[in-house]
Amino acid sequence: MPDDAGGEIKPNRHPSESWDPGPQAYRLPHEIPAFAGTTTRPKRSTRMSGPSATGLLCRLPSRGGRTANVQLAFRGRPPEGCAPLGGFGVGVKGFGDAPTDLRLAAKLANSADMIPGWPDLKNAVRRKIARRTWIPILLSRSNDIGKYPHVGWRSSFEGVHSLVIHRSLSEKFGSYGWSNDYHHAPWASRQTYKPFDEYWESDESDSRLGFRLVSRQSLPDRDQVYHLHHDFIFALNLAYETGSWVRPCENYIEVAREIRDSQDRICGIEAKAEFLADYLSARNSILRISSFSSQQAVLRISDIPQEFQELEEEFEGGRLAIRRMDLDQTGDMAGAGVAVFRVARTDVDPEEDVPELGPETNENTSSESWSFTRGEAVAARLMADYWRDEIFEANNGSIRVRGDEVPSNVTFIVDASGQRMSADQLDNEDVGKWLWFKPDIIASLAERRGAELNWYSRFTGGISTPSDPAVHFGINSSGLVTVYANDVARLPEWERRLWGGYNVAPEGKVCAELLMSQVEVRPAETQSPEKWLPIVLDQVRDAWRQQFGTELFRKHDKYLEILSRCHRFRALNLDGLYALAKDVARISADLIDEKAVVAASKFPPKENLRSLKALQHAISELHDPDVVHQIFGPLFATYDLRLQDAHLPKSEIASRFKILDIDPNAPTIFGGEHLLYNVVTSFDAIRIILEQAP
């Protein structure tokens, strides 16, 4: 391969010699200017396969006074960082500062650089499936670019199939490989029946080797259907949702998912390694993985270097085969000889209405044969195939399926000095401690799917996830959440980690109402505004209907969703407080039917009134207008706070805070509670007026 200075890198063999499986060294002629004055010494490479793999290490001067080390390697395993091609590879260190001649030599290290249009195989070879975060259990994905046999056509295929094998049968898994993925269907004879998901050493054998975790069903009228094994689904308690299997008891984490190809067709299923390992450990099994990847391309013959050679050898724990086939204009093998033999029947009359074939004889058959040679080569098809068998093992126990005890990594601050105790230590009823948390923990949990936030008193409540009972919490005078330590320590590890992220040193006392419930066994008789907000709105709706026979509030498709967000933990800062005001207004003032309100008034207003103004006018006809004005004050203040995006003057914000009894210097979580409390109080007063009106 000529370099820019006229030198040439030549294989150390005679052109008439054939390539043999032994190492083939390369020499660098000292006539190449870039290598003038260099020193060379033999080096036994630790990165090459075979006991006799020897290379030539060259140290070359480079710019900046540094040296560039070049190792010219041979057939066999190339140095790390090199792609195999034609039985050789080149490893380069210090390549960025190497002379031009050296850079040209280094092109051999990357087949994609050496042959335009030829795919890079390094990723497919080096990224072992068993080390991935997501393990493909069954996969058959292909992709074509361009039109065959035109130059530029490229095709790729990635296939994986696997088998769950009990450890006691591990010595037999060597009989299972890529070629053993038979049609996924049951096998039956008069003596035995073998289910579709089981793999036997042979159809007639009574020795069951393992089972398929994913099976593929072929149907005549649609794409192939992939099925995840029901035992895996039940063992991990999974639910299927739009292409994924999630685990509701673990925050709906995605455990398995369908794989789609470039045309959005399902082509396989993969599972998350952590959960797959848990399942396999519970079964005392391993997962035998067999994979096959193929890359093909049609290239111009002139783009393929003369040094290119076919090969087939062991590489990176698998088997690599690189082949070349010259193509004629039809895409078939150029220069190939083709023989054709034709046999026909002569005893059928096409004019007969119902023709019938009789027994075949020499008299009623005719035959002919001919041969031809396909056209000359116009392009070349390069093919690289790689097979590998791997084992995915589980060594970390099974905390989900089998319930193994695994030491917790979560610790909590338990006193003002910062002393910590592990979750395992606190998971003991005899350890009577409380923990302090930022209020953000409740907001974080409440936003999670399936979570439920309930209120027991004005400052205590419970937060639960789908799989676990509610954690009883209280809000202390500093705005922090306090919880009995054992209630958090008994949670699953993933929830412990979540709570641990919001744990803080004690500040302020334990919530008084929480102690009344957990220590004095005398629960507080106070009520939270969050609990009463939906109740009061329903009562106002019923009282209005009873009084006027119409509906006060319009329906909203997302009413319950918005209502679930109306709690004080939204108000973790001022922006959260304004967002809370906005949602409260959306389920109250914004839903008022102005036409129904105006129609119910004995003295309709002269101007068009909107929402709260119209309701205030109607209620003022039933009660003292001055009192009604005071009742509606918190509702108008809340509505104005929702418009904070319009940049209300600070003086106006301060006046709204005063109406809502919000202390700007106190934690905003208390401001959220006061906002809700005053809104509930106002609507309850409106209910009383409606119910007492004649």
Side-chain angles (χ1 to χ4, degrees):
M1 189 172 182
D3 62 53
D4 296 340
E8 188 177 8
I9 301 174
K10 299 179 180 179
N12 190 15
R13 65 180 179 87
H14 191 275
S16 63
E17 295 176 353
S18 61
W19 289 92
D20 58 50
Q24 294 288 344
Y26 277 70
R27 68 168 183 266
L28 288 173
H30 292 285
E31 294 79 16
I32 300 179
F35 295 95
T38 64
T39 61
T40 62
R41 61 182 176 86
K43 178 184 178 182
R44 187 166 301 279
S45 173
T46 59
R47 295 181 179 176
M48 300 180 189
S49 60
S52 60
T54 305
L56 188 66
L57 180 67
C58 303
R59 299 183 60 83
L60 295 89
S62 61
R63 294 187 296 272
R66 290 181 287 177
T67 61
N69 298 332
V70 184
Q71 176 158 330
L72 300 179
F74 342 96
R75 192 175 183 89
R77 178 174 174 175
E80 188 174 318
C82 302
L85 183 67
F88 57 81
V90 176
V92 178
K93 299 178 181 178
F95 172 58
D97 293 321
T100 304
D101 308 76
L102 179 56
R103 290 185 183 140
L104 181 60
K107 286 186 178 181
L108 297 175
N110 192 324
S111 58
D113 289 340
M114 182 177 178
I115 305 177
W118 176 244
D120 188 354
L121 302 175
K122 292 194 297 294
N123 292 339
V125 171
R126 291 179 180 170
R127 296 175 181 173
K128 292 189 175 181
I129 294 175
R131 296 177 182 174
R132 297 181 186 178
T133 302
W134 285 89
I135 308 295
I137 308 300
L138 182 63
L139 175 64
S140 180
R141 177 167 53 197
S142 59
N143 184 42
D144 286 3
I145 300 175
K147 186 176 181 180
Y148 185 83
H150 297 291
V151 172
W153 173 83
R154 293 177 64 174
S155 177
S156 63
F157 175 81
E158 182 182 6
V160 176
H161 59 75
S162 59
L163 199 66
V164 176
I165 303 174
H166 195 272
R167 288 185 182 275
S168 63
L169 302 175
S170 59
E171 72 280 357
K172 296 183 179 181
F173 66 68
S175 62
Y176 179 81
W178 175 253
S179 60
N180 299 114
D181 186 33
Y182 299 121
H183 182 59
H184 295 191
W187 187 90
S189 68
R190 293 186 180 276
Q191 291 76 30
T192 186
Y193 178 87
K194 299 175 180 178
F196 71 95
D197 61 326
E198 295 183 354
Y199 180 83
W200 302 70
E201 289 187 291
S202 67
D203 290 340
E204 302 297 337
S205 171
D206 293 330
S207 177
R208 176 181 178 272
L209 182 59
F211 70 94
R212 299 181 180 93
L213 204 54
V214 174
S215 298
R216 178 174 52 236
Q217 182 182 12
S218 298
L219 298 168
D221 61 341
R222 66 199 69 193
D223 293 334
Q224 291 181 326
V225 181
Y226 291 79
H227 300 275
L228 184 61
H229 203 288
H230 281 186
D231 187 64
F232 186 79
I233 295 173
F234 275 75
L236 290 167
N237 203 16
L238 306 180
Y240 178 79
E241 294 183 347
T242 317
S244 298
W245 286 265
V246 299
R247 183 169 157 85
C249 60
E250 203 163 338
N251 196 30
Y252 293 88
I253 188 171
E254 192 177 35
V255 175
R257 63 192 180 193
E258 296 168 345
I259 306 173
R260 293 183 177 270
D261 60 17
S262 58
Q263 298 182 8
D264 201 36
R265 295 175 302 193
I266 300 173
C267 60
I269 292 178
E270 59 186 357
K272 204 165 189 177
E274 176 186 358
F275 296 87
L276 179 59
D278 193 294
Y279 174 77
L280 292 173
S281 181
R283 294 188 64 107
N284 194 24
S285 299
I286 62 171
L287 186 71
R288 171 74 167 186
I289 303 172
S290 292
S291 62
F292 169 70
S293 59
S294 176
Q295 301 280 350
Q296 301 186 49
V298 174
L299 310 172
R300 285 187 288 271
I301 296 177
S302 59
D303 288 336
I304 303 176
Q306 295 179 355
E307 294 87 351
F308 180 86
Q309 295 288 336
E310 294 186 347
L311 67 85
E312 183 168 352
E313 59 186 34
E314 298 297 319
F315 182 72
E316 291 285 347
R319 180 165 59 91
L320 175 68
I322 298 180
R323 294 168 290 135
R324 168 181 175 170
M325 183 174 72
D326 290 344
L327 306 177
D328 64 6
Q329 291 184 346
T330 65
D332 291 313
M333 182 183 295
V338 181
V340 182
F341 186 70
R342 173 181 171 272
V343 179
R345 292 291 291 266
T346 61
D347 58 343
V348 175
D349 185 358
E351 298 299 326
E352 289 188 17
D353 292 338
V354 185
E356 182 177 352
L357 285 171
E360 182 179 320
T361 65
N362 291 333
E363 287 72 27
N364 61 14
T365 59
S366 65
S367 64
E368 60 178 329
S369 63
W370 68 94
S371 63
F372 65 92
T373 302
R374 297 197 182 277
E376 62 181 10
V378 296
R381 178 177 178 177
L382 296 189
M383 297 160 282
D385 299 329
Y386 188 71
W387 298 262
R388 180 159 53 197
D389 295 323
E390 304 176 50
I391 296 176
F392 178 79
E393 295 190 82
N395 300 314
N396 297 325
S398 175
I399 61 175
R400 299 173 179 87
V401 180
R402 195 167 55 201
D404 293 351
E405 294 291 336
V406 177
S408 175
N409 295 321
V410 183
T411 61
F412 296 94
I413 302 173
V414 295
D415 60 27
S417 68
Q419 179 185 354
R420 286 182 171 272
M421 294 179 65
S422 71
D424 291 338
Q425 292 174 310
L426 295 173
D427 189 12
N428 187 336
E429 286 286 358
D430 294 332
V431 179
K433 293 182 177 293
W434 279 264
L435 303 175
W436 280 253
F437 301 90
K438 297 178 182 178
D440 309 55
I441 177 60
I442 306 299
S444 176
L445 286 169
E447 291 176 355
R448 293 176 181 269
R449 182 181 171 189
E452 187 174 353
L453 175 61
N454 293 305
W455 293 91
Y456 307 148
S457 66
R458 185 172 185 179
F459 294 108
T460 67
I463 183 72
S464 63
T465 58
S467 60
D468 301 293
V471 174
H472 194 178
F473 66 85
I475 305 171
N476 72 0
S477 58
S478 299
L480 297 178
V481 170
T482 56
V483 180
Y484 188 61
N486 182 252
D487 289 344
V488 174
R490 61 179 169 78
L491 295 173
E493 187 70 4
W494 74 270
E495 284 194 74
R496 290 172 170 177
R497 289 195 292 265
L498 187 61
W499 282 88
Y502 295 96
N503 180 222
V504 296
E507 182 179 345
K509 298 179 180 180
V510 176
C511 172
E513 290 187 354
L514 186 64
L515 291 178
M516 289 177 64
S517 175
Q518 294 181 330
V519 178
E520 301 176 23
V521 197
R522 185 170 52 87
E525 297 180 356
T526 58
Q527 298 288 342
S528 73
E530 289 92 343
K531 181 177 181 179
W532 277 97
L533 179 61
I535 298 174
V536 169
L537 289 177
D538 287 342
Q539 291 176 341
V540 171
R541 181 185 290 106
D542 294 341
W544 179 274
R545 187 188 303 113
Q546 187 70 25
Q547 182 67 228
F548 299 107
T550 59
E551 294 295 333
L552 175 60
F553 297 116
R554 295 186 296 269
K555 293 183 178 181
H556 194 296
D557 293 340
K558 296 185 177 181
Y559 177 81
L560 294 178
E561 178 185 336
I562 300 171
L563 181 63
S564 68
R565 298 199 299 264
C566 292
H567 54 78
R568 70 193 74 182
F569 293 105
R570 289 282 303 286
L572 298 175
N573 49 46
L574 284 178
D575 289 338
L577 178 63
Y578 301 143
L580 173 62
K582 183 176 182 178
D583 279 346
V584 170
R586 289 177 66 189
I587 62 171
S588 56
D590 287 352
L591 296 184
I592 294 175
D593 189 339
E594 294 94 342
K595 293 182 179 179
V597 172
V598 172
S601 300
K602 297 179 181 178
F603 306 99
K606 296 180 181 180
E607 69 277 9
N608 291 329
L609 300 180
R610 301 293 302 275
S611 184
L612 289 173
K613 284 289 186 180
L615 181 60
Q616 181 183 5
H617 177 83
I619 299 300
S620 295
E621 295 179 355
L622 306 176
H623 199 72
D624 184 346
D626 291 336
V627 175
V628 172
H629 179 76
Q630 292 182 349
I631 290 173
F632 273 77
L635 301 182
F636 283 112
T638 300
Y639 194 85
D640 289 342
L641 286 181
R642 71 166 290 180
L643 302 177
Q644 170 57 17
D645 289 341
H647 305 292
L648 293 175
K650 290 185 178 180
S651 58
E652 293 191 22
I653 294 177
S655 67
R656 274 43 169 199
F657 276 15
K658 184 176 182 180
I659 294 173
L660 293 168
D661 194 25
I662 296 176
D663 183 357
N665 298 317
T668 52
I669 189 174
F670 293 126
E673 189 269 339
H674 289 170
L675 183 151
L676 291 167
Y677 177 83
N678 283 281
V679 168
V680 169
T681 301
S682 294
F683 274 112
D684 192 49
I686 294 172
R687 173 191 64 83
I688 294 173
I689 293 174
L690 288 170
E691 291 178 347
Q692 294 179 352

